[in-house]
Amino acid sequence: TQLLEQSPQFLSIQEGENLTVYCNSSSVFSSLQWYRQEPGEGPVLLVTVVTGGEVKKLKRLTFQFGDARKDSSLHITAAQPGDTGLYLCAGDRGNKLVFGAGTILRVKS
Amino acid sequence: GAVVSQHPSWVICKSGTSVKIECRSLDFQATTMFWYRQFPKQSLMLMATSNEGSKATYEQGVEKDKFLINHASLTLSTLTVTSAHPEDSSFYICSAQGRGNEQFFGPGTRLTVL
């Protein structure tokens, strides 16, 4: 079983729709990161959340860290075709990052 | 921001040959670098942790004699895939750890073994 369960695995939506990606675990993380990756490239860090209950906003993206620091969500408002990509959550376990399985997002125009 | 480069960006080799991939932190020093492997449309799998001046720490199931890691300086780690076979074909990504423990990822290396 994966330490970080990420859902959904695949999402295909129309431009302008809203979506939420979830990242859940039974373990506590000192911090959690969200990355976006395009084909043939390395992951790019979007945000790091550290404090339980923390909410961070990055333009149309809203990131939330659960109160118990075991789960997180990424909400995208009015998705654009440029949001298409693989979204990865990763929890900080000591000196290592544990990645979720990823969510492939496709936004159709 | 912190920049990490990888070389080569892609490589095609014959089965049985060895391939070396370089990972460099361009504007910061990294005592710790990480090597990941990624299959198409899947997440990153940590292969090993590379520490400057000491032996790498491999994850369970990763053959250390197959994937040789050298971290000879604070800005360079190398991964050598020895006696490569088609099943080693994958996207290999490195990351370098900054001062705040955050990881900065390289652009990846696509390895194809014929």
Side-chain angles (χ1 to χ4, degrees), chain A residues 35 37 40-43 86 88 95-97 99-102 104, chain B residues 34 36 38 41-44 46 59 91 93 97 103 105-107:
Chain A
Y35 294 84
Q37 185 182 21
E41 298 181 12
L86 174 66
L88 297 158
N95 204 33
K96 300 179 187 178
L97 284 180
F99 280 87
I104 297 173
Chain B
F34 301 87
Y36 296 85
Q38 186 179 33
K41 297 184 179 179
Q42 292 187 24
S43 189
L44 279 68
L46 179 64
E59 294 299 302
F91 193 52
I93 305 175
Q97 190 170 54
Q103 291 189 29
F105 285 85

